[in-house]
Amino acid sequence: MNTLSINNLSLIYKNGYQAVKDISLDISNGMFGLLGPNGAGKSSLMKTIVGLQKPTSGHIIFNGTDVSKDPDFIKKNLGFLPQDFGVYPKVSAYDLLEHIAVLKGITDRNERKGQILNLLEKVNLSDFRKREVHTFSGGMKQRFGVAQALLGNPEIIIVDEPTAGLDPEERNRFNSLLNDISKEVIVILSTHLVEDVRNLCSKMAVMNKGEILRQGKPAELISELKDRIWSKPIDKSELENYLSSHEIISRQLIERELHITVFSEVQPTDFEAVSPLLEHVYFRTLTQKI
Ligand SMILES: Nc1ncnc2c1ncn2[C@@H]1O[C@H](COP(=O)(O)OP(=O)(O)OP(=O)(O)O)[C@@H](O)[C@H]1O
Ligand SMILES: [Mg+2]
């Protein structure tokens, strides 16, 4: 069993902006979802965990070793799929994996070849191994990204908003690939897609403005909202009134009609009961704190 323990981690950028504020998290094998809106600090936290930037204070302990004291330890055991992979050189998928494998320290030629062919198969890119990566579609690039992250059999894999921009079919394929991988390693998935966290993650945290606002098991967080979520279609002109009298956690157009969803310990007049969803947990967490 692998363990990642983040203790009182803070990160202040050179311009003085604090992107990570005193975060503590304990993560073990399985998929961990880091959910938060744009600018929450997800990428900042992930880049700090993988050692691309040094924390201002706090500790990251991976399998008992302090990563800031021994950065090579986590690097050797880590796969990272950054949010922005950058520009792909004009080389084939196979050659690029070969290059990355060498950088990761897989020195044995046969071992490298075996791993690369195996991974291309796993991410369904065997037929495209000779094609240059910059000609791949978005979904193929993401699957290539997973293949490079898996080189060297890492114990911890960090993927930063991997499904953004993928069509539903590619997204499903990608998610089931992550799900297969996560059985024996730690996978940390950052996203703003609540559904992905609900479908995939055994544990999760909600992050905003550099802070972790909630954490736990998705099903448990949802059950805390049982009999407390209510919904009603309203006229747009009534919204102002409802905003002052109710704790509105979301509003949504359904067939052009405005529906509001509120949190309340007792059933508000004329509202209908709604089964709580992870979306409600997420929106309530965000609206409570702002
Ligand atoms: N190098 C940097 N220097 C200064 N501020 C930065 C730097 N990188 C990020 N930030 C700021 O830190 C905050 C968090 O950014 P970050 O990219 O970590 O958020 P995020 O949760 O990954 O957002 P998104 O969902 O849009 O990817 C933002 O306000 C951003 O402007
Ligand atoms: Mg990001």
Side-chain angles (χ1 to χ4, degrees):
M1 178 62 91
N2 298 289
T3 56
L4 179 73
S5 171
I6 298 170
N7 302 320
N8 305 103
L9 194 76
S10 288
L11 174 77
I12 302 174
Y13 283 117
K14 281 201 187 82
N15 65 1
Y17 186 82
Q18 182 162 10
V20 176
K21 293 179 186 162
D22 195 27
I23 280 181
S24 296
L25 288 172
D26 283 304
I27 300 174
S28 52
N29 284 9
M31 218 186 296
F32 185 92
L34 186 62
L35 199 55
N38 291 137
K42 304 180 298 295
S43 296
S44 298
L45 174 62
M46 293 182 135
K47 283 191 269 182
T48 310
I49 297 171
V50 305
L52 286 172
Q53 49 202 20
K54 260 193 177 318
T56 310
S57 58
H59 296 278
I60 301 162
I61 318 283
F62 179 61
N63 289 348
T65 298
D66 191 330
V67 170
S68 53
K69 291 189 182 121
D70 189 356
D72 283 348
F73 180 73
I74 194 161
K75 273 184 198 151
K76 249 187 278 164
N77 291 293
L78 175 117
F80 182 40
L81 176 54
Q83 184 169 9
D84 183 4
F85 203 81
V87 190
Y88 290 92
K90 286 195 172 189
V91 295
S92 72
Y94 186 94
D95 290 347
L96 189 51
L97 287 176
E98 166 86 9
H99 176 73
I100 296 168
V102 172
L103 290 179
K104 280 201 175 178
I106 309 168
T107 47
D108 186 279
R109 183 181 281 267
N110 286 331
E111 164 72 24
R112 265 201 317 267
K113 188 174 178 189
Q115 272 200 34
I116 292 170
L117 291 177
N118 194 349
L119 285 172
L120 283 167
E121 187 74 43
K122 197 170 195 163
V123 300
N124 224 340
L125 287 176
S126 290
D127 292 348
F128 302 97
R129 65 185 180 280
K130 290 183 182 152
R131 227 169 94 176
E132 293 180 1
V133 184
H134 69 100
T135 69
F136 281 4
S137 73
M140 291 161 79
K141 277 184 184 151
Q142 288 307 74
R143 282 188 272 128
F144 176 85
V146 171
Q148 67 77 28
L150 290 178
L151 279 169
N153 300 317
E155 310 272 13
I156 173 166
I157 294 155
I158 297 187
V159 288
D160 195 356
E161 299 210 29
T163 56
L166 299 191
D167 72 37
E169 202 187 338
E170 267 301 355
R171 192 168 135 214
N172 281 343
R173 204 176 329 183
F174 187 91
N175 283 344
S176 74
L177 178 65
L178 281 187
N179 188 44
D180 290 345
I181 298 163
S182 70
K183 292 189 178 104
E184 282 154 31
V185 300
I186 293 176
V187 177
I188 304 178
L189 165 78
S190 100
T191 180
H192 50 249
L193 299 173
V194 183
E195 204 187 319
D196 284 356
V197 173
R198 178 72 182 116
N199 291 339
L200 297 168
C201 298
S202 45
K203 270 189 80 185
M204 60 168 283
V206 178
M207 182 173 192
N208 197 19
K209 297 184 176 166
E211 289 179 278
I212 298 293
L213 304 179
R214 293 298 294 280
Q215 56 174 307
K217 295 186 170 137
E220 285 176 13
L221 295 173
I222 291 168
S223 71
E224 286 173 18
L225 293 182
K226 196 168 173 281
D227 302 325
R228 294 182 168 88
I229 302 295
W230 317 91
S231 161
K232 183 188 175 184
I234 62 162
D235 191 80
K236 220 178 136 197
S237 62
E238 300 172 292
L239 181 62
E240 213 47 45
N241 268 341
Y242 279 106
L243 276 170
S244 55
S245 57
H246 292 74
E247 188 185 334
I248 297 184
I249 57 172
S250 78
R251 16 182 155 157
Q252 201 184 3
L253 284 173
I254 302 170
E255 290 175 358
R256 302 176 63 207
E257 192 173 37
L258 182 61
H259 288 244
I260 54 172
T261 303
V262 304
F263 174 90
S264 173
E265 300 284 349
V266 291
Q267 180 162 16
T269 328
D270 299 334
F271 277 74
E272 262 181 46
V274 177
S275 313
L277 305 168
L278 192 59
E279 215 174 283
H280 300 137
V281 173
Y282 179 55
F283 286 133
R284 174 140 202 271
T285 305
L286 293 181
T287 48
Q288 256 184 330
K289 190 79 188 196
I290 288 167

